[in-house]
Amino acid sequence: MAITAFSFLTRLMFALVVIGAANAQLSPYFYSSTCPNLLSIIRKAVNHAVSLDLRMGASLLRLHFHDCFVNGCDASVLLADTANFTGEQTAFPNNNSLRGFDVINNIKSQVEQACPGIVSCADILAVAARDGVVALNGPSWTVALGRRDSTTASLSAANSQIPAPTMNLSALITSFSNKGFNARELVALSGSHTIGKARCTTFRNRIYNETNINGLFAATVQANCPRTGGDNNLSPLDFVSPTVFDINYFKNLISMRGLLHSDQQLFNNGSTDAQVRAYSTNSAAFFNDFANAMVKMSNLSPLLGNNGQVRRNCSRTN
C-alpha cells in the first residue's frame, strides 16, 4: 500500500507540474524563492552602467522595445548571428544602432553565479529597461516575471514590425495598433525619446527638407549632421534634457523641435496633438501612462511554462 500511495502521489505531483506549466503566467514573485536577490543584482548593475554612460538608460529601454515588438518579449533580439543562424541584430532598425548587449551579458553572468539556470534573458532585459528609466529620474513600474527565452529570431519580422523614424501618424497608429496599443499609448511610449540619441541617417531628411521644423533648431542639428557623410553622428532626441526622463520631449514637439519625422508627426495638426499638449504640462499623467504602457508592452506574447528555454548565455541558444 505504501508503494501504491507513493506512486499515486508521484503521478499527482507530475500532473500538477504539467497543469502549472500549461497555465503559467507572469508574476512579480516568480523568482522570490529561486533567485531572491535578482532585482538588486540587476538594479546595481544598471545603475553602474548608467553612471558610466548616461545614454545607457535609453539604450536598455530601446533594446527591450525592439525585442518585444518582434514576436513578443522573448530575448530574440539578443541572439547573435553565427555561421548557421541569422538573428535580428542586422535588421535595418537594429544594425549599428542597438546598444547595451554588453550590459545585459554582464548582468546575466552575475545572475548565473547567484542562481544558475534559473532566470531568463527576457526577464533580465525587461527589468533592466525599467531600472534604466528609473536611473534617469523616470517612473518605476512593477515588472511581472516568468518569461522564457526563444530559440529562434526573425530578421524579416524585425525589418517589418519595428516602427520606422520615417513613418507618418497614420502608419504609427497602425503599427502600434497591430501590437494592441491605442493612440494615447503610442504617444506615451514615444515619450521614451525624452532620453537617448539618434544617428544622423535617421533624421537627415527632416532637418534639411521638412518645413514643420524650427529653423534655429534645424541649423543647430545640421552642424553635426552634414548633407552627405557622418551617418553615425549623434544628436539627442530631446535637445533640452537628453539624460533626464521628463516632459521636455513633448514641449519640444509643440515648438517644432522634434528630431525625427515620426516624433513631429505626433504634433502636426493631427489627432494626437491634444495628448502631446496634455503631457507637456503634466508630468504625473505622462509618467503614469508611460509606466502602464510599459507594463503592457513587456507582456507582449511572452514564452511561458515549457515553451522556449532559459539561456545560459543571452547571445546564443543552449
Side-chain angles (χ1 to χ4, degrees):
M1 288 296 294
I3 296 176
T4 302
F6 178 78
S7 177
F8 171 76
L9 289 173
T10 301
R11 290 196 299 271
L12 177 61
M13 289 299 294
F14 177 77
L16 290 173
V17 169
V18 171
I19 292 172
N23 295 285
Q25 58 184 1
L26 300 179
S27 165
Y29 313 107
F30 190 83
Y31 300 110
S32 293
S33 60
T34 55
C35 194
N37 296 323
L38 173 66
L39 296 183
S40 63
I41 293 171
I42 298 176
R43 183 176 62 254
K44 289 177 183 177
V46 170
N47 286 344
H48 178 68
V50 173
S51 72
L52 297 177
D53 175 9
L54 290 175
R55 186 183 169 205
M56 189 52 67
S59 296
L60 292 172
L61 176 60
R62 185 165 182 257
L63 198 57
H64 180 44
F65 176 81
H66 282 221
D67 179 34
C68 293
F69 255 61
V70 181
N71 299 326
C73 306
D74 58 4
S76 59
V77 73
L78 302 179
L79 289 171
D81 289 358
T82 69
N84 303 310
F85 173 83
T86 301
E88 299 167 10
Q89 295 179 15
T90 55
F92 182 75
N94 299 337
N95 196 32
N96 297 320
S97 175
L98 285 184
R99 305 169 72 245
F101 297 104
D102 53 336
V103 175
I104 298 300
N105 288 337
N106 173 53
I107 295 172
K108 178 63 172 175
S109 295
Q110 294 184 43
V111 171
E112 284 295 301
Q113 288 182 350
C115 30
I118 298 296
V119 182
S120 69
C121 299
D123 277 345
I124 289 173
L125 183 51
V127 176
R130 188 270 311 275
D131 290 350
V133 170
V134 173
L136 298 177
N137 298 330
S140 185
W141 57 91
T142 299
V143 180
L145 302 167
R147 300 166 193 79
R148 288 168 65 86
D149 300 322
S150 68
T151 56
T152 61
S154 176
L155 181 69
S156 61
N159 276 320
S160 63
Q161 296 181 13
I162 296 173
T166 55
M167 282 184 170
N168 61 25
L169 181 59
S170 176
L172 287 169
I173 289 174
T174 298
S175 177
F176 278 75
S177 177
N178 288 340
K179 300 298 179 181
F181 296 103
N182 59 34
R184 183 187 181 103
E185 291 165 330
L186 155 64
V187 177
L189 288 173
S190 297
S192 63
H193 286 180
T194 188
I195 54 176
K197 297 180 179 181
R199 296 179 300 150
C200 173
T201 185
T202 63
F203 57 82
R204 177 182 284 117
N205 184 67
R206 168 157 169 74
I207 62 173
Y208 284 103
N209 299 320
E210 296 187 5
T211 57
N212 61 339
I213 187 170
N214 177 278
L216 180 59
F217 171 70
T220 301
V221 179
Q222 287 170 6
N224 196 44
C225 181
R227 288 185 181 272
T228 57
D231 283 0
N232 291 322
N233 291 355
L234 300 172
S235 288
L237 288 157
D238 168 8
F239 76 101
V240 176
S241 52
T243 59
V244 179
F245 198 97
D246 56 24
I247 56 175
N248 279 324
Y249 167 79
F250 300 107
K251 294 180 178 180
N252 293 338
L253 297 186
I254 292 173
S255 59
M256 298 300 166
R257 291 179 171 88
L259 184 65
L260 304 179
H261 174 82
S262 56
D263 286 330
Q264 197 60 59
Q265 283 291 295
L266 299 179
F267 191 84
N268 192 43
N269 298 314
S271 61
T272 53
D273 282 17
Q275 194 59 54
V276 170
R277 285 193 185 279
Y279 288 153
S280 74
T281 60
N282 192 334
S283 60
F286 166 50
F287 277 26
N288 181 72
D289 286 357
F290 180 82
N292 288 335
M294 285 300 300
V295 169
K296 185 173 178 178
M297 189 186 79
S298 68
N299 291 342
L300 287 176
S301 305
L303 295 173
L304 301 172
N306 293 324
N307 296 314
Q309 62 182 210
V310 174
R311 288 189 220 134
R312 291 186 292 270
N313 182 316
C314 289
S315 64
R316 61 175 182 267
T317 58
N318 294 342

